[in-house]
Amino acid sequence: MKKVALIYPLETELPLQSTSYRVHMPRYGLLVVADRLRDEGYEVRTFCEQSGSSVDWDYVESCDIFCFSILSFSAFKAYKIAKRLREKFPAKPIIFGGSHASLAPEDCLDHADYVIRNEGEETLVRLLALIRDNKSPEDILGCSLWVDGLKVHNKSRPFVQNVDRVVKAVLIEDYKKRSLLDYAKDILTSGIPKFNIVVSQSSRGCPFDCKFCFVKIELGKQYRKKTPQLVLEEVSVGIEQLNSKFVMFVDNDFCIDRAHSIEVLDLLANKLLPLPDSKIP
C-alpha cells in the first residue's frame, strides 16, 4: 500500500483573498478524490487549509506520493511547497490537479511530474495504479506529464457519467464542529471569526457554452444528476458532522433540471428542517 498526502494550500502571503474567506469550506472535488483514494485502499490524509486543516508535515514527508489540488490564487504557495519536497525527496512523484492545473498544465509541469486535468478522480486512481505497479503512464487519458524531457498533454478523459457518490467532509483533517475557542483563535489570527458550511453537489456540468466560463472545459457540457436521496444523505452527514445549518450546493447550475432541483429541495425541507440552531458569529 502506498501512502498519499493530498494538500489544498491556502495563500496567506499575497494580497489576494479567497471568495470564502469567512467560511471553512473544502473544495468538493477534493472530497471526491479523497473518497476515491480511500475506496481504492490507499492510506491517504487530506489537508485543506481553507477548511482549517493544520498540515502534518511529518506525515506528508513519510508519504510515497504528494498530491496538490489548487486554484490559481493558491498556485504560488503550492509551487513553493512542491519545490521544498522535490529538493528533499527527488524520487517521490509530485502530482497537481484542480482548476488551475486544468487551465495551466504547462505552468504546473514546471513544478510537478504529473498534472491531472479536469475531473480528477478516475485519472488519479489510474495514474497511481500505474506508478504503484512500475508501469508507464505515458498514454493515460486526462494527464499531462514529462516524456523524454518534453511536456506532453495526453487526450482528455471522458467525463464521469455516474455521479451517484456520497462524499463525507470527515475525510478533511481538522474539519469539525467549531467551539468558542475556535472563534477566538480566528479573531486573534485573522480578525474575522469563521464558520463551517456543508458542501454538496446534486449535479455536474452545464449544457451552455458561455465564452467567459471555464466549466465547459473542466466539468463538461453534459448535465449529470445525482440521485436526490443521495444528496439528502450527503447533506445530512455534513450537518451532523459540523453542526451547521448552512449548506452550499457547488453545482455548476443547480436549476437546469427544474423537476430534479425541486425534488432535492423538497427532500431537504421535509427531512432536515428545522436545521441545527447555529448563528454566524
Side-chain angles (χ1 to χ4, degrees):
M1 178 187 295
K2 286 189 175 290
K3 294 174 65 176
V4 180
L6 183 55
I7 303 172
Y8 178 92
L10 178 65
E11 181 60 75
T12 55
E13 295 183 3
L14 295 176
L16 299 172
Q17 186 166 278
S18 169
T19 54
S20 54
Y21 72 101
R22 279 214 65 192
V23 301
H24 284 146
M25 181 185 73
R27 294 273 294 171
Y28 191 83
L30 189 71
L31 295 175
V32 174
V33 169
D35 195 52
R36 284 288 280 117
L37 292 180
R38 182 198 58 183
D39 284 355
E40 293 295 323
Y42 290 95
E43 179 186 337
V44 57
R45 288 177 63 185
T46 307
F47 305 98
C48 178
E49 292 187 322
Q50 185 167 302
S51 303
S53 297
S54 296
V55 181
D56 182 346
W57 291 110
D58 289 336
Y59 175 84
V60 171
E61 293 187 357
S62 73
C63 287
D64 304 293
I65 296 173
F66 311 123
C67 296
F68 294 86
S69 177
I70 55 174
L71 294 178
S72 293
F73 86 95
S74 62
F76 292 139
K77 184 173 183 179
Y79 295 164
K80 291 178 183 177
I81 298 172
K83 180 181 179 181
R84 185 172 72 245
L85 293 172
R86 169 73 75 224
E87 291 173 348
K88 196 168 185 179
F89 307 101
K92 294 184 179 182
I94 296 175
I95 303 173
F96 278 14
S99 297
H100 180 77
S102 300
L103 183 65
E106 282 271 336
D107 188 41
C108 289
L109 276 176
D110 289 335
H111 310 274
D113 300 293
Y114 307 97
V115 174
I116 304 297
R117 307 191 312 271
N118 307 330
E119 290 179 329
E121 62 264 43
E122 299 302 328
T123 304
L124 182 57
V125 165
R126 177 61 178 157
L127 175 60
L128 293 185
L130 291 173
I131 294 173
R132 179 193 61 206
D133 298 336
N134 294 316
K135 295 182 178 179
S136 173
E138 288 187 15
D139 298 324
I140 186 171
L141 297 178
C143 184
S144 298
L145 68 164
W146 289 94
V147 179
D148 297 329
L150 298 175
K151 297 176 181 178
V152 175
H153 307 287
N154 291 340
K155 293 182 179 179
S156 297
R157 179 174 297 276
F159 292 103
V160 176
Q161 294 303 303
N162 184 2
V163 296
D164 271 345
R165 173 176 287 269
V166 175
V167 298
K168 302 176 181 179
V170 70
L171 299 173
I172 304 295
E173 298 281 328
D174 303 320
Y175 195 40
K176 56 187 182 302
K177 297 177 183 178
R178 310 221 72 214
S179 66
L180 291 177
L181 180 59
D182 293 321
Y183 294 130
K185 288 180 179 178
D186 289 341
I187 294 173
L188 290 174
T189 56
S190 63
I192 301 173
K194 299 181 180 182
F195 62 96
N196 286 330
I197 190 168
V198 177
V199 294
S200 183
Q201 187 182 71
S202 71
S203 66
R204 286 195 205 177
C206 178
F208 300 112
D209 195 26
C210 302
K211 292 182 179 180
F212 62 84
C213 187
F214 178 57
V215 165
K216 59 182 178 289
I217 299 174
E218 185 181 30
L219 294 173
K221 295 174 64 177
Q222 184 178 0
Y223 193 65
R224 294 148 288 158
K225 297 173 288 185
K226 183 183 293 185
T227 302
Q229 287 75 16
L230 295 182
V231 180
L232 172 65
E233 181 181 347
E234 191 168 80
V235 173
S236 301
V237 169
I239 289 175
E240 182 178 357
Q241 177 192 343
L242 302 173
N243 191 37
S244 174
K245 67 177 181 180
F246 302 102
V247 179
M248 179 174 179
F249 285 101
V250 294
D251 300 42
N252 306 121
D253 194 325
F254 182 76
C255 299
I256 287 180
D257 187 326
R258 184 172 183 271
H260 179 261
S261 302
I262 290 176
E263 185 175 357
V264 168
L265 294 175
D266 279 345
L267 276 174
L268 296 177
N270 293 331
K271 299 294 185 180
L272 294 181
L273 292 177
L275 293 173
D277 184 18
S278 57
K279 298 180 180 179
I280 304 177

